[in-house]
Amino acid sequence: MSGNIELLNTTLAATRAADRAALIAYLPAGFPTVDGGIEAVKAVIAGGADIVEIGLPHSDPVLDGPVIQTADDIALRGGVRIADVMRTVREAHEATGVPILVMTYWNPIDRYGVERFTAELAEAGGAGCILPDLPVQESALWREHADKHGLATVFVVAPSSQDARLATITAAGSGFVYAASLMGVTGTRASVGAQAQDLVGRTRATTDLPVCVGLGVSNAAQAAEVAGFADGVIVGSAFVKAMLDAPDEAAGLAAARSLAGELAEGVRKR
């Protein structure tokens, strides 16, 4: 069974044709529970998210800040497994028809098996994977299997990436390019900063792939700012924080849906 890279491509083409950025939401699988995490994905899509990234919880993250680490810890203590990540992708996609990607560090895939992981993700209806710590020069095996199964390979670029390095990364990627707006870990910021716009411009000079910006966006005004120069606005910690701060699961789902609505308005005010 082929994955949904084409659905991802057409979704991003449609938002570009509508002269707006895509809203991309990130949520960890298994948070607050596996069932609750699936409902959270449905909630942010109902609120206006165009694409969703499902995080595979990891005990030693290098990119995730304290908010997502807290959610990952809850998921891991709840016993979340890769099978639960695949179930989250499957049920969320079947319920909504929206492109769903997995964001994961390389070690869990390496241990699970690249062929097994890509085959199962495609079978679940996944659109691809974001791999923040997989070096491009070591990605040939992954890309071979991802291509075979119709999955996007999304690499992360950072403000520190030199232009030649950007060209190497974007040539190997598919779906879109994840531009980290600043150096450091995930988390909401008071300002997204000028680094992000510069990085998007330099990345676009190397590729026709959409360039989507993550790390720091937490409200409609910031979403509108980033939507002014990027093809997509990626929001994770703000959704997780809204759910963590809620008094119960139902309130958390409502808060996530409401935030998605605000951000969806923001990306339309570019």
Side-chain angles (χ1 to χ4, degrees):
M1 180 174 178
S2 181
N4 273 312
I5 185 173
E6 286 307 318
L7 176 62
L8 176 64
N9 292 341
T10 56
T11 299
L12 288 165
T15 55
R16 179 180 284 182
D19 194 32
R20 70 173 179 88
L23 174 59
I24 304 175
Y26 167 94
L27 291 164
F31 169 73
T33 62
V34 175
D35 288 342
I38 293 167
E39 292 306 311
V41 178
K42 295 177 185 177
V44 297
I45 292 169
D50 301 292
I51 298 163
V52 176
E53 303 171 4
I54 302 298
L56 196 162
H58 196 280
S59 59
D60 186 27
V62 295
L63 184 69
D64 299 313
V67 171
I68 291 174
Q69 284 186 37
T70 298
D72 279 4
D73 185 56
I74 291 169
L76 291 167
R77 284 190 282 113
V80 71
R81 296 290 183 267
I82 288 178
D84 300 311
V85 176
M86 298 300 179
R87 180 187 155 210
T88 301
V89 172
R90 176 181 292 104
E91 295 191 15
H93 175 65
E94 286 178 350
T96 66
V98 163
I100 311 286
L101 300 101
V102 169
M103 186 167 188
T104 178
Y105 298 103
W106 180 244
N107 180 255
I109 295 177
D110 192 37
R111 292 180 61 186
Y112 197 72
V114 175
E115 169 60 23
R116 181 184 178 194
F117 189 94
T118 52
E120 290 183 6
L121 182 56
E123 192 275 330
C129 241
I130 300 155
L131 301 160
D133 68 339
L134 177 63
V136 171
Q137 61 270 26
E138 297 175 19
S139 68
L141 178 66
W142 164 266
R143 288 187 285 125
E144 175 190 341
H145 289 289
D147 290 347
K148 181 172 76 172
H149 290 291
L151 298 169
T153 297
V154 179
F155 289 113
V156 179
V157 298
S160 59
S161 302
Q162 298 298 312
D163 291 351
R165 177 69 176 161
L166 289 176
T168 300
I169 293 170
T170 59
S174 56
F176 64 91
V177 182
Y178 186 125
S181 65
L182 37 75
M183 302 302 293
V185 297
T186 60
T188 61
R189 303 293 199 282
S191 172
V192 179
Q195 280 186 317
Q197 187 165 1
D198 174 70
L199 176 59
V200 169
R202 292 194 298 117
T203 304
R204 279 197 176 137
T206 72
T207 183
D208 291 329
L209 288 173
V211 183
C212 304
V213 171
L215 273 67
V217 175
S218 61
N219 57 49
Q222 289 175 336
E225 176 191 353
V226 174
F229 57 81
D231 298 295
V233 180
I234 303 169
V235 181
S237 295
F239 283 120
V240 175
K241 186 175 188 303
M243 294 175 65
L244 285 170
D245 289 348
D248 54 48
E249 188 172 309
L253 294 174
R257 178 171 179 164
S258 176
L259 177 59
E262 294 171 18
L263 294 165
E265 287 186 21
V267 299
R268 288 165 172 80
K269 292 178 180 175
R270 54 194 305 171

